[in-house]
Amino acid sequence: MGDVLSTHLDDARRQHIAEKTGKILTEFLRFYEDQYGVALFNSMRHEIEGTGAPQSQLLWRKVPLDERIIFSGNLFQYQEDNKKWRNRFSLVPHNYGLVLYENKVAYERQVPPRAVINSAGYKILTSVDQYLELVSNSLPGITSKLGSTPILKCPTQFPLILWHPSARHYYFCMMTEAEQDKWQAVLQDCIRHCNNGIPEASKVEGPAFTDAIRMYRQSKELYGTWEMLCGNEVQILSNLVMEELGPELKAELAPRLKGKPQERQRQWIQISDAVYRMVYEQAKARFEAVLAKLQLAQPAMEATIRTDMDQIITSKEHLASKIRAFILPKAEVCVRNHVQPYIPSILEALMVPTSQGFTEVRDVFFKEVTDMNLNIINEGGADKLGEYMEKLSQLAYHPLKMQSCYEKMEPLRLDGLQQRFDVSSTSVFKQRAQIHMREQMDNAVYTFESLLYQELGKGPSREELCKATQRILERVLKKYDYDSSSVRKRFFREALLQITIPFLLKKLAPTCKSELPRFQELIFEDFARFILVENTYEEVVLQTVMKDILQAVKEAAVQRKHNLYRDSMVMHNSDPNLHLLAEGAPIDWSEEYSGSGGDGGSPGAPEAATFSEKRRRAKQVVSVVQDEEAGLPFEASSELLSPASPDSVTELRGLLARELQEENPLPAGPLLNGAPSSESPQHVAASEASSPPASPLWQLPPGKAADLEPPKPSDQETGEQVSSPGDRPPIHTTTEDSAGVQTEF
């Protein structure tokens, strides 16, 4: 590998790459600085004016579920340095960085991991043929001869390959199809989370960055969605540079690669990865420097905005009126002829899989709470409550149980419309809807937790607890129905705008864009940092199509399509005190409602033993997936559970009443027979096939979180280097010598 990099990436070419990267970054960062002031003004204006968005009925978790291991197990990884497959102990912590250890013992001894992979921008491939096709397409004209040795051989029939257009590839394989399906769901969850790398809480930096990306690409005549808008700012910026730099290097270096076709393909992957790392480091330094400068200037800009808010708004509205008068006739004709006829088709294509996914979220939540309720009845009331609620609290982060929800988005297609509106891929819409599903599931679970915890303060009996659980479930489902309708309608509006606005801008550009500079004189110099002609022009274009989009979504709601609520249906203060529950400390179910109980321990046990036990538990591997896989001992039959049906509540009450009658016969009431015990054979088989045995869910002992915190993923695509907490040495996956030779160790 060293010879390849030293031959094709000598000092002169590295200097050329650095200069080219610097030029692209300089041009982009000029857009970013312009957009920063606009985003700051918009954020402050929004704070003052607010919006009329419907209030959420569900609570949301203010303190995330930290210190949890999402998944753990063994898989085989291909080592590129010695071309051998090695068994690795792997886990996914709450930050969704895939961590690879030499073995389980190394993890328990806190030995630094061999790799920490940030999967933003990656795709999961489940066959070597898929991978070889992508590799062949990356170097046109280089194809392996029939029967020749491929670039990669997998020892089993169940590979999982992480592929990236520029960065290093990762090769894994499993022993069974069940393991492959499991890891695929887990890794897809990692990608989904890491792709969503710009925090939504960022009200200035985030919008400024995404708008700058869009403006920069439009300046290059690149409209439409962009598949590599994934990861954090530096990752996205690296992808932006590689989009322009990659083809140039490929054209220059591909003819110079030597060897058999598969060897040349391997060389190009190494070169592309090395260039990506160089670009990443340069982009990181430049972006952080500009961001620090802007943040330093932000207080002065805020003072100006507060002082002149009314004048800035007036100036912007005057500019918008002039631009509107100029482009409105052309824009309306374009909307009427090229956009309006296709809005219903696009909306229907979005609504069907999205609504099915949200319905599945509702069904999964309903079934999990129902199974928990049945098991509480059959297994001793509140003694088991802590164990079951600890598992339920993490339902939204359970890759396998949420997989049935996420899969509903996979059929999303915009057949015939995708090319017309220059939508390169529907993956951006799929992942966004899936993130909304996870958020709504977590909101429903957290609301249920909070209400049940409040009810437990009354000291209910087993019968009362059962009835209260069902009553709370009904309350939460009503709130979920309302919130999911609001979230879906917002998602549909945003997706329609994301599809149609770039198309309109491209259509109008030949006749309108050249005329925009003349409107610059309408902006006062003092307000030029907060009002841009290009942004105001886009807002005017958006307004021309927005009324058609709003009307289409409204009609779908009026027709009760896909369980969308009408805008007139507003749940005002249905639970005025509910949001007060979210102000309390997070609920620790395992501690407060543990089945072992505080009085059941040995009275002579020393205090040190308790701390030692906590340390032992903290070192254990915790896997939400493996803990849940065996299934609960009592699960309600799927035929009895149809939460979408209005009769399901009545049926469930009857079912729970029958269980109560078996345990506690009451003198009155039509209580019937109980439900049979069942255990899913698929879950049992999956549990037996999974790698290390599961451990109970845990939280770290107070004061020990720093020592045992899982490594955070590097924000590089390849997870080069990660700073370890505490006194641990830094975590490396590769080293680079003076010749640029990268070697995994």
Side-chain angles (χ1 to χ4, degrees):
M1 180 175 173
D3 291 340
V4 172
L5 297 182
S6 59
T7 300
H8 298 288
L9 292 179
D10 55 18
D11 291 342
R13 186 160 284 111
R14 287 173 180 264
Q15 180 64 28
H16 171 73
I17 292 170
E19 290 174 357
K20 180 73 174 179
T21 301
K23 182 180 177 182
I24 297 172
L25 292 174
T26 298
E27 190 174 351
F28 166 79
L29 291 171
R30 191 161 54 244
F31 281 97
Y32 182 63
E33 291 186 54
D34 290 343
Q35 294 300 322
Y36 195 91
V38 175
L40 180 61
F41 167 73
N42 290 339
S43 174
M44 295 180 67
R45 183 178 181 180
H46 175 77
E47 272 183 33
I48 295 170
E49 297 179 351
T51 61
Q55 181 182 0
S56 171
Q57 295 297 308
L58 296 170
L59 302 176
W60 53 276
R61 230 179 269 277
K62 294 183 178 178
V63 180
L65 288 173
D66 289 345
E67 314 309 337
R68 295 291 195 273
I69 303 300
I70 302 297
F71 189 83
S72 62
N74 286 324
L75 46 70
F76 289 94
Q77 183 192 15
Y78 181 68
Q79 304 295 297
E80 296 175 76
D81 52 353
N82 58 18
K83 296 181 173 57
K84 292 182 180 180
W85 292 85
R86 297 295 185 208
N87 194 5
R88 298 290 181 223
F89 176 68
S90 314
L91 61 86
V92 178
H94 64 273
N95 51 35
Y96 288 91
L98 177 62
V99 187
L100 304 175
Y101 289 89
E102 187 72 32
N103 48 46
K104 186 179 177 182
V105 173
Y107 165 74
E108 291 174 341
R109 292 178 178 174
Q110 301 185 37
V111 176
R114 292 184 60 90
V116 181
I117 303 172
N118 185 308
S119 54
Y122 278 84
K123 287 183 179 178
I124 299 178
L125 307 176
T126 56
S127 78
V128 174
D129 289 342
Q130 284 179 299
Y131 176 69
L132 296 179
E133 183 180 355
L134 281 173
V135 170
S136 297
N137 292 338
S138 68
L139 274 179
I142 299 180
T143 53
S144 301
K145 295 180 180 179
L146 189 64
S148 61
T149 304
I151 188 175
L152 176 70
K153 282 185 176 180
C154 185
T156 74
Q157 299 177 5
F158 312 107
L160 278 182
I161 300 170
L162 290 178
W163 177 88
H164 191 280
S166 303
R168 176 185 174 182
H169 305 161
Y170 292 90
Y171 314 99
F172 307 103
C173 73
M174 294 77 201
M175 298 302 295
T176 66
E177 186 176 3
E179 284 288 298
Q180 185 191 42
D181 292 342
K182 184 194 308 179
W183 275 106
Q184 183 181 2
V186 172
L187 294 179
Q188 192 61 60
D189 222 22
C190 293
I191 291 172
R192 188 181 299 113
H193 181 89
C194 293
N195 280 350
N196 193 37
I198 300 178
E200 293 187 14
S202 171
K203 302 301 183 185
V204 178
E205 292 86 352
F209 184 84
T210 53
D211 286 347
I213 289 284
R214 190 183 71 255
M215 294 293 186
Y216 174 85
R217 297 188 80 246
Q218 288 177 5
S219 72
K220 307 294 183 183
E221 302 296 326
L222 296 172
Y223 294 83
T225 59
W226 185 39
E227 200 172 2
M228 292 308 294
L229 187 68
C230 44
N232 59 32
E233 290 90 343
V234 180
Q235 288 171 311
I236 295 171
L237 196 47
S238 301
N239 296 338
L240 187 73
V241 173
M242 291 301 293
E243 183 182 36
E244 190 170 338
L245 185 61
E248 177 186 316
L249 280 176
K250 190 182 299 182
E252 185 179 352
L253 295 180
R256 304 183 184 185
L257 300 178
K258 306 297 183 183
K260 297 179 179 179
Q262 57 268 30
E263 184 59 33
R264 281 181 279 170
Q265 290 168 348
R266 189 177 290 111
Q267 290 173 12
W268 172 248
I269 293 171
Q270 295 170 359
I271 292 169
S272 178
D273 177 54
V275 172
Y276 183 87
R277 297 169 195 274
M278 293 167 55
V279 168
Y280 179 92
E281 294 299 334
Q282 192 173 346
K284 187 173 188 289
R286 290 287 303 276
F287 177 75
E288 288 178 350
V290 170
L291 180 59
K293 183 182 73 171
L294 290 169
Q295 290 175 336
L296 196 63
Q298 185 169 327
M301 288 193 285
E302 288 177 348
T304 302
I305 292 171
R306 288 194 186 93
T307 304
D308 300 326
M309 175 68 80
D310 291 340
Q311 292 92 322
I312 297 173
I313 292 174
T314 302
S315 178
K316 183 177 178 180
E317 289 176 349
H318 176 65
L319 173 65
S321 67
K322 295 296 184 182
I323 294 177
R324 189 178 298 109
F326 168 66
I327 72 158
L328 194 58
K330 303 173 185 177
E332 286 182 339
V333 170
C334 190
V335 169
R336 186 165 60 249
N337 294 338
H338 302 289
V339 175
Q340 198 178 65
Y342 302 97
I343 288 177
S345 302
I346 301 173
L347 181 59
E348 185 66 21
L350 291 167
M351 280 198 301
V352 173
T354 305
S355 296
Q356 288 175 351
F358 277 85
T359 299
E360 183 70 11
V361 170
R362 190 186 198 274
D363 292 355
V364 170
F365 172 67
F366 181 91
K367 184 180 184 302
E368 290 296 317
V369 175
T370 302
D371 289 346
M372 181 193 75
N373 210 359
L374 292 174
N375 280 275
I376 288 173
I377 294 169
N378 284 284
E379 294 194 359
D383 290 344
K384 287 283 186 177
L385 185 63
E387 177 186 338
Y388 290 137
M389 285 303 299
E390 183 73 7
K391 294 176 181 178
L392 182 67
S393 69
Q394 301 173 89
L395 177 59
Y397 304 92
H398 192 301
L400 298 188
K401 288 193 174 179
M402 289 297 294
Q403 184 66 9
S404 64
C405 309
Y406 298 148
E407 284 176 347
K408 300 295 183 184
M409 286 303 299
E410 292 308 316
L412 175 61
R413 299 288 184 273
L414 296 175
D415 295 331
L417 301 170
Q418 200 161 323
Q419 293 76 21
R420 179 179 187 82
F421 290 97
D422 196 18
V423 179
S424 60
S425 171
T426 57
S427 62
V428 61
F429 305 113
K430 292 177 184 178
Q431 291 192 13
R432 190 65 198 150
Q434 290 163 345
I435 288 168
H436 284 315
M437 290 175 198
R438 184 177 65 195
E439 290 172 349
Q440 289 300 297
M441 174 67 90
D442 195 44
N443 291 350
V445 167
Y446 182 58
T447 305
F448 179 84
E449 283 185 76
S450 302
L451 291 170
L452 183 62
Y453 186 74
Q454 183 186 49
E455 188 70 26
L456 289 169
K458 303 174 184 178
S461 65
R462 187 189 306 184
E463 176 194 352
E464 290 169 340
L465 177 60
C466 169
K467 292 179 179 179
T469 300
Q470 177 56 26
R471 188 171 62 251
I472 292 169
L473 175 60
E474 293 174 34
R475 267 175 86 183
V476 173
L477 287 176
K478 288 180 181 178
K479 296 176 184 299
Y480 172 83
D481 290 341
Y482 181 81
D483 277 11
S484 73
S485 174
S486 301
V487 167
R488 280 179 289 144
K489 286 192 290 185
R490 186 174 71 246
F491 168 70
F492 296 148
R493 290 192 291 264
E494 291 173 353
L496 284 166
L497 287 172
Q498 197 170 349
I499 291 169
T500 58
I501 292 298
F503 173 80
L504 282 172
L505 292 173
K506 187 176 182 179
K507 280 281 185 183
L508 294 170
T511 56
C512 297
K513 200 164 184 179
S514 60
E515 298 293 326
L516 293 181
R518 66 185 176 90
F519 293 100
Q520 186 64 40
E521 62 186 28
L522 299 175
I523 303 174
F524 292 119
E525 188 176 349
D526 294 344
F527 305 154
R529 294 201 68 176
F530 315 118
I531 306 173
L532 295 179
V533 171
E534 190 76 22
N535 289 64
T536 309
Y537 163 70
E538 289 195 2
E539 289 176 17
V540 172
V541 173
L542 182 148
Q543 291 163 9
T544 62
V545 73
M546 191 63 181
K547 60 180 181 292
D548 294 306
I549 289 174
L550 292 175
Q551 183 62 30
V553 176
K554 181 180 179 181
E555 288 175 0
V558 169
Q559 296 168 13
R560 298 290 292 169
K561 272 191 174 182
H562 308 294
N563 296 319
L564 290 178
Y565 286 177
R566 289 174 295 176
D567 294 341
S568 57
M569 294 183 66
V570 181
M571 297 174 68
H572 289 299
N573 297 322
S574 57
D575 273 319
N577 298 321
L578 176 63
H579 287 268
L580 297 177
L581 298 178
E583 303 300 324
I587 304 167
D588 189 341
W589 292 102
S590 60
E591 291 295 331
E592 295 194 39
Y593 293 92
S594 173
S596 58
D599 298 329
S602 171
E607 187 66 28
T610 304
F611 178 75
S612 174
E613 173 66 13
K614 287 184 177 181
R615 286 286 294 174
R616 186 190 67 78
R617 289 178 60 208
K619 287 183 179 180
Q620 288 180 356
V621 176
V622 181
S623 171
V624 175
V625 173
Q626 291 172 351
D627 241 28
E628 297 278 359
E629 276 186 341
L632 297 174
F634 297 93
E635 292 189 355
S637 169
S638 60
E639 287 83 1
L640 294 173
L641 302 180
S642 54
S645 165
D647 298 329
S648 61
V649 171
T650 306
E651 293 173 2
L652 180 64
R653 280 177 167 163
L655 182 64
L656 295 177
R658 292 195 292 273
E659 294 291 344
L660 279 170
Q661 177 65 20
E662 265 201 342
E663 296 291 329
N664 264 325
L666 298 176
L671 303 182
L672 306 175
N673 195 16
S677 168
S678 65
E679 185 165 1
S680 168
Q682 292 178 345
H683 284 176
V684 173
S687 180
E688 291 174 353
S690 61
S691 322
S695 309
L697 292 172
W698 52 272
Q699 288 180 311
L700 295 182
K704 300 298 175 184
D707 295 334
L708 298 171
E709 182 181 357
K712 296 182 179 179
S714 163
D715 54 4
Q716 295 190 39
E717 304 277 0
T718 50
E720 297 291 327
Q721 181 175 348
V722 180
S723 299
S724 298
D727 295 326
R728 292 191 204 173
I731 300 168
H732 297 270
T733 58
T734 58
T735 56
E736 182 166 336
D737 60 20
S738 57
V741 181
Q742 297 178 344
T743 309
E744 188 166 349
F745 63 91

